[in-house]
Structures are given as C-alpha cells and as structure tokens.
Amino acid sequence: MKHVLITGANGEIGHGLIQQLAQQADVAIYALDLHPLDPALQQHCALVQQGDITDPRSLAAFQDVSIDQIFHLAAILSTSAEKQPETAHRVNIEGMLNILTFAQRNGQQFNHRVTVLFPSSIAVYGIPSLAQKHSAGPVTEDQWVTPITMYGANKVYSELLGRYYSDFYRLLDPHTTRYVDFRSVRFPGIISAFTLPTGGTSDYAPEMLHAAAQGKPYACFVREDTIIPFMVMPDAVNALLWLAQAPGEQLTRRVYNVQSFSLTAQEFADKVRQFFPNFQITFDPDPQRQRIVDSWPAAVDDSAARRDWNWHPHYDVERAFTEYLIPNIRRRYATETVASEQ
Ligand code: SER
C-alpha cells in the first residue's frame, strides 16, 4: 500500500489528483484542507483532516502513518496574494516549511524517503518588458527567475527550501540523514472542465470557457494579445504523478518546466466561440493583473522534463477542446440545469 498525503486537497488540482489516485487500488489517500472536503472526494480518502497548513498541529493527525508521497497543493494564488501579501507569505512559505519538517520527521520515524511533490508555477518568471517577452522564445528553468509578485517569490523560495531539505539539510552535521526527496513542476495556466480557480491571474481562460458554457457574457481582464502557456487538468495531474514515480537516478534537476499549448486571449476566445457560437466577450484589461501576466513567459522550454521522465501532454489545443473540455463542460452544466429545474 502506498500512503499519499495531499494538502489543499479541496482545491482544483486536489480534485483532479484525488479522482485519478482513487482509481489505483494500492493507494491510501490522506487529505488536509482548510475547508470541509467535497463529499465526492471524501469517499476516496482514508483520513480527512480540516486544518490550517500554517499550524503544524494540523499535520499531527497523520504522524503515525508512514507517508510515502506528499502532494503539497495548499497555497494562495497570485491575484489573491497581491491583495494580502503577508498572509500569502505565511500560507505559502510557513506552510511549505511545515510540510518539509513533517516529511523529514516522518521519514526519520519510519526510516524511508518521503517524496514531496510541489506545484510551482510560471509565476516564478518575471520578464521585464513585453518586447523581451516576445523575443525571449521558450524560457528555460534558469532564465528570468525574477518574479514581480509575492506569489512568484513564494514559489521560487519554496523550490529552494525543497532543494535545501533534500540535498543540504543540517549541512554541518555529517550524521544527518536527509529523508526528503523534493520534486517540482512549474505549471502554466491550468484549465479544468469541472472546477474554477480562485484568485489566480491565469483565471481568464477557464472563466471565459465556463461563462460560455453557461450562456453568460464574459469581460476578460487582460488584453486580446496576452499570451501565456496552458495545459488541461488531466495533463497537470499526469505531470505530478509521473514525476513522483520517476526513478531518482534519471532526474537531473529538482524543478521542471511543463506546458502543453500557448494561446493568446483572443485565440482562446475564438476557440471557445467555435463551440459556443453565441458567446459574448469583451476585453476590459485590469492594468495590475495585466502587468502580472505580461511578466510571465509566452512559452516555456520543457525539454528537460521530456528527456528525464518522458513528460508529454496528451492534450494539444485541438484535443484539449474536443476531447476533454467541451464534452465534460457541456455535461457539467447540462446536469446543473436539469438539477435546478427539478
Ligand atoms: N494559475 C496561477 C495563478 O494565476 C499561476 O500559478 O496564480
């Protein structure tokens, strides 16, 4: 049996990950979230704890379980973090520290390495101008790591903390055993057919699609020509699971870029309109949120992930829409309409 702890389990990635892990018979899922867990997910979990990641006592419920893998998803996203930077720092950094401390202790107690999976983000990048963004080409993991947001800074430092616990923890003590095996993917904007993000800055794409599916108009908070990379949720979940399973000796880094397709907001809207021809969209850029997205790359170079652990998205833009987003989102809102009419 593999024992897997998921923090922020009630969030978007948590939903996708738990549904996927629940199909594996040999996995026991332990969930932590600030809010009550969605009842649809509860049935898949061996233990659910409601608690705050900034309080180490929230993790006490799991201390007698020999945890093999941790997916540390609890975080405050980029737009929310700019509204309350100190709170974001507490949640994103103290939460990370609590998880790494828990992993080191748990590994020590049960004498095995604990793999800690961390969703980092394109928000770690901070390209100073639009001209540089457009001439940069696909950005590698080591270029432009100069974020302009609290969230981006939190992600960079969390990556460094993970590396520290894995490779250098208590450097002065030659007898220290390091039990943490930290691995991270830098995600692009993620789009789910089933859930909506809260407080992110790439949210305009999923918001557009979910509005169209409900027959609602949408005012997009970025310019038409805004471009960043995206992927759909099943690919994001695969990226985490594949990296978790990759043999350690194949990995040449602890942090990997991944992406599927890059689209401008206008191209995304056109794609949405292909399936929902009556969709009404206006572009009403919010200068602050625009500034954040403009500092993120138009595309990332994910060749290291492709080489080291065979990363490849199942869904390019065509398949993403025709095989995943549109059928699922149509079903989702059709069911809701039927339910509300009853
Ligand atoms: N989607 C996230 C956000 O917009 C980026 O990691 O905050």
Side-chain angles (χ1 to χ4, degrees), residues 36-259:
L37 194 65
D38 181 345
L41 300 178
Q42 264 175 36
Q43 51 172 329
H44 301 307
C45 298
L47 179 64
V48 178
Q49 171 75 20
Q50 190 177 343
D52 185 340
I53 192 65
T54 64
D55 181 353
R57 286 171 301 185
S58 303
L59 293 162
F62 312 108
Q63 71 190 11
D64 296 326
V65 183
S66 170
I67 299 288
D68 299 287
Q69 291 176 354
I70 301 176
F71 293 85
H72 176 44
L73 312 177
I76 292 186
L77 293 187
S78 54
T79 292
S80 298
E82 279 324 294
K83 293 181 185 159
Q84 36 172 353
E86 291 78 16
T87 304
H89 190 278
R90 255 195 312 280
V91 172
N92 295 346
I93 298 301
E94 287 173 30
M96 185 69 190
L97 195 67
N98 288 339
I99 276 298
L100 291 168
T101 311
F102 172 85
Q104 169 70 18
R105 286 214 187 111
N106 193 270
Q108 195 166 10
Q109 192 178 335
F110 295 99
N111 196 29
H112 70 159
R113 282 204 111 184
V114 181
T115 310
V116 177
L117 270 298
F118 177 66
S120 189
S121 162
I122 46 165
V124 300
Y125 299 109
I127 305 181
S129 72
L130 266 183
Q132 281 160 298
K133 168 168 174 160
H134 291 305
S135 62
V139 165
T140 68
E141 283 87 351
D142 302 316
Q143 291 177 297
W144 306 107
V145 184
T146 44
I148 64 167
T149 60
M150 175 56 94
Y151 175 77
N154 292 164
K155 289 290 187 192
V156 177
Y157 181 55
S158 294
E159 293 175 357
L160 291 173
L161 272 179
R163 176 172 174 266
Y164 169 73
Y165 270 75
S166 292
D167 301 329
F168 308 104
Y169 183 65
R170 292 193 186 275
L171 203 54
L172 295 185
D173 179 358
H175 305 296
T176 300
T177 307
R178 300 183 185 103
Y179 291 98
V180 175
D181 181 358
F182 175 82
R183 303 172 180 198
S184 176
V185 279
R186 286 187 186 156
F187 280 125
I190 302 176
I191 310 166
S192 166
F194 302 100
T195 53
L196 273 162
T198 35
T201 318
S202 59
D203 297 7
Y204 58 91
E207 282 174 2
M208 215 186 269
L209 181 64
H210 284 253
Q214 296 170 85
K216 294 181 183 163
Y218 184 67
C220 184
F221 60 80
V222 294
R223 285 186 322 267
E224 293 90 319
D225 67 340
T226 305
I227 182 164
I228 57 166
F230 290 99
M231 65 172 48
V232 289
M233 187 58 81
D235 278 330
V237 168
N238 276 344
L240 287 172
L241 292 174
W242 291 346
L243 181 56
Q245 283 152 18
E249 59 278 10
Q250 275 174 223
L251 303 182
T252 58
R253 10 181 356 113
R254 294 207 170 273
V255 178
Y256 289 90
N257 281 340
V258 288
Q259 84 155 78

